[in-house]
């Protein structure tokens, strides 16, 4: 599905922004007894990058889920919750043992979180074997067997797909594509380059293909910027997140291509923006959420978030908050049938229908078990005394 939606649907709402994100490292929230010993308790395992390149992303995934619990009496569907958190690190080598412990030793009813698409692919055999719902809350690669797999975020190729027609319309000339060489980077950039070529856009890369930077070891992007300067690029499209996004934005502003418009997914999202400072000003980004969206759900979410964290909410926190909201409804629906188990929770998720979300209402698509949702163009602009990702317009609705 791909069609434009009018920007007039939404007015802007801007929660107060401030300094840094509190990471909070307590490993367990809620009651201590799990599904095997207490029928009134739901065990949730949350895996997120609490160390490594994507620590800022993982911290927001954790905090978003915990915020929902904190504002809902630590219950989902009327049941007490035991939340067990594990560190994903930089990908599969640490994500798989973390998830294995949650599933086999802790015997969680649901698995959620996960920053990396590579981590998702690596743990799916475990999920299918255990037959428990996997409710990812960050970008997810395509998955063939979807019986137990859901995401409250998006498919990894959708940000690039959503913004490509806009970039083609606004940029008079070739665009240079660059990103990290791992699963998430491949998916994100493929979404952009495939759609950009479909709408007759031309890449400025000499071979007509995305330039890949080694992940996670690339911290010096200046040689890549020097190469871009040798091309006829009129703009740059990239995907980076976490600490790599800070390095990329700061060095871009100091490079020979600083005057080229920069279009991104995630580069300015979250706690990286204050760290980037003035270097981020003017950068365009595409995401499924903007902190200034004016709807009742976002007003509540943003106010609760800023009261707790003293900074603007992010798409990472929002998607994890929504994962808790999905489970809240699913557990309640499963309880109506008399038994709350991984199987009945999974069946209830499939029948949920529309979710009232800070991003705007959405629902799971039947084909991919991912949200059918609106994508937004944002730009880093002054918002009071600080810089913020300000919503510019709706771009497209994607999902299946």
């Amino acid at each position: 599905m791909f069609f434009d939606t009018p920007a007039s649907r939404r007015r802007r709402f801007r929660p107060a922004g401030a300094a840094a994100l509190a990471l909070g490292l307590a490993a367990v929230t809620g009651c201590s007894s799990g599904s095997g010993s207490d029928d009134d308790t739901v065990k949730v395992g949350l895996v997120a990058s609490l160390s490594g390149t994507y620590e800022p992303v993982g911290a927001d995934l954790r905090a978003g889920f915990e915020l929902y619990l904190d504002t809902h009496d630590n219950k989902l569907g009327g049941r007490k919750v035991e939340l067990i958190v594990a560190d994903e690190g930089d990908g599969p080598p640490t994500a798989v043992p973390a998830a294995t412990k949650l599933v086999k030793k802790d015997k969680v009813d649901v698995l959620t979180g996960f920053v990396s698409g590579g981590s998702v692919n690596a743990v799916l055999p475990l999920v299918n074997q255990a037959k428990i719902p996997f409710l990812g809350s960050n970008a997810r690669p395509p998955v063939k067997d979807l019986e137990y797999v859901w995401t409250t975020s998006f498919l990894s190729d959708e940000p690039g797909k959503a913004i490509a027609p806009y970039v083609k319309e606004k940029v008079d000339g070739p665009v240079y594509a660059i990103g990290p060489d791992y699963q998430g980077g491949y998916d994100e950039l493929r979404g952009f380059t495939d759609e950009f070529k479909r709408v007759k856009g031309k890449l400025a890369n000499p071979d007509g293909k995305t330039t890949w930077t080694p992940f996670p070891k690339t911290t010096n992007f200046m040689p890549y910027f020097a190469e871009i300067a040798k091309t006829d690029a009129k703009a740059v499209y990239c995907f980076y997140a976490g600490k790599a996004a800070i390095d990329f934005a700061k060095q871009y502003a100091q490079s020979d291509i600083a005057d080229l418009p920069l279009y991104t997914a995630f580069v300015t999202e979250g706690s990286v923006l204050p760290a980037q400072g003035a270097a981020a000003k003017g950068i365009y980004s595409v995401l499924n959420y903007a902190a200034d969206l004016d709807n009742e759900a976002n007003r509540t979410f943003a106010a609760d978030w800023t009261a707790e964290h003293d900074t603007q909410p992010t798409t990472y926190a929002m998607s994890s908050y929504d994962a808790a909201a999905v489970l809240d409804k699913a557990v309640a629906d499963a309880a109506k049938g008399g038994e709350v188990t991984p199987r009945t929770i999974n069946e209830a998720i499939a029948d949920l229908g529309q979710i009232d979300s800070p991003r705007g209402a959405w629902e799971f698509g039947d084909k991919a078990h991912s949200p059918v949702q609106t994508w937004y163009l944002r730009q880093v602009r002054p918002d009071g005394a600080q810089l913020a990702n300000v919503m510019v317009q709706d771009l497209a609705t994607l999902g299946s």
Side-chain angles (χ1 to χ4, degrees):
M1 185 185 302
F2 188 96
F3 53 89
D4 290 335
T5 56
S8 58
R9 287 184 189 172
R10 296 167 179 84
R11 301 182 305 278
R12 292 179 191 167
F13 163 68
R14 296 181 187 175
L21 173 68
L23 295 181
L25 294 177
V28 179
T29 300
C31 305
S32 60
S33 56
S35 58
S37 58
D38 186 345
D39 289 340
D40 292 329
T41 299
V42 176
K43 268 192 171 184
V44 178
L46 188 152
V47 181
S49 296
L50 303 179
S51 63
T53 302
Y54 289 152
E55 181 179 350
V57 179
D60 276 10
L61 290 185
R62 176 185 188 150
F65 200 97
E66 290 180 335
L67 179 65
Y68 191 94
L69 294 181
D70 290 345
T71 54
H72 289 78
D73 197 29
N74 199 51
K75 290 182 178 180
L76 296 176
R79 303 289 177 109
K80 295 176 291 185
V81 177
E82 181 180 357
L83 178 65
I84 308 174
V85 180
D87 187 8
E88 177 184 352
D90 273 329
T94 43
V96 171
T100 300
K101 175 184 177 296
L102 291 174
V103 172
K104 294 191 174 181
K105 182 178 179 180
D106 299 314
K107 298 190 181 303
V108 297
D109 299 301
V110 179
L111 205 56
T112 189
F114 290 88
V115 173
S116 164
S119 297
V120 173
N121 278 335
V123 303
L124 287 185
L126 175 70
V127 169
N128 290 327
Q129 181 184 43
K131 300 186 186 310
I132 65 171
F134 175 94
L135 190 60
S137 53
N138 200 36
R140 195 199 77 201
V143 172
K144 289 183 178 180
D145 186 354
L146 288 166
E147 183 175 0
Y148 300 100
V149 180
W150 310 86
T151 181
T152 58
S153 188
F154 50 86
L155 298 185
S156 300
D157 65 347
E158 289 179 335
K161 185 183 295 185
I163 198 174
Y166 177 88
V167 174
K168 173 63 172 63
E169 177 186 345
K170 295 296 181 181
V171 178
D172 184 18
V175 175
Y176 197 98
I178 183 171
D181 69 342
Y182 76 105
Q183 184 66 53
Y186 302 149
D187 293 339
E188 296 282 356
L189 269 297
R190 183 187 70 249
F192 176 80
T193 57
D194 285 359
E195 185 66 18
F196 194 59
K197 291 174 182 176
R198 189 189 71 79
V199 296
K200 309 303 181 185
K202 178 185 176 184
L203 292 182
N205 305 61
D207 59 358
K209 298 179 181 179
T210 298
T211 295
W212 302 111
T213 59
F215 176 83
K217 63 183 181 181
T218 302
T219 58
N220 180 14
F221 293 95
M222 285 300 194
Y224 296 97
F225 298 151
E227 290 302 313
I228 296 175
K230 297 176 184 178
T231 72
D232 58 350
K234 301 302 181 184
V236 174
Y237 179 81
C238 73
F239 155 72
Y240 290 97
K243 295 173 183 176
I246 298 173
D247 293 332
F248 190 95
K250 281 188 169 183
Q251 293 169 31
Y252 193 94
Q254 299 295 321
S255 73
D256 293 338
I257 59 170
D259 60 332
L260 294 184
L262 179 58
Y263 297 90
T264 78
F266 301 101
V267 167
T268 60
E269 181 68 358
S271 59
V272 299
L273 182 55
Q276 292 163 344
K281 189 175 180 179
I283 294 177
Y284 289 96
S285 61
V286 52
L287 272 180
N288 59 344
Y289 175 70
D292 58 353
L293 289 175
D294 188 12
N295 61 65
E296 185 175 352
N298 192 44
R299 287 192 291 273
T300 299
F301 169 64
D304 289 342
W305 177 270
T306 54
E308 181 73 22
H309 299 283
D310 200 28
T311 188
Q312 285 196 330
T314 66
T315 189
Y316 314 120
M318 178 277 298
S319 293
S320 197
Y321 181 90
D322 272 10
V326 165
L327 289 176
D328 196 4
K329 293 182 67 175
V331 170
D333 289 350
K336 292 175 184 176
E339 188 178 21
V340 177
T341 66
R343 178 183 60 79
T344 61
I345 293 173
N346 194 64
E347 291 172 352
I349 292 174
D351 293 332
L352 281 185
Q354 196 169 84
I355 307 296
D356 186 22
S357 166
R359 79 188 83 175
W362 63 272
E363 62 185 346
F364 287 113
D366 293 333
K367 294 181 179 179
H369 288 186
S370 64
V372 178
Q373 63 188 332
T374 302
W375 288 85
Y376 306 101
L377 178 72
R378 302 111 46 91
Q379 187 181 33
V380 177
R381 300 174 179 175
D383 183 13
Q386 299 183 348
L387 293 174
N389 289 292
V390 176
M391 204 276 276
V392 177
Q393 68 175 68
D394 295 5
L395 287 173
T397 295
L398 297 177
S400 61

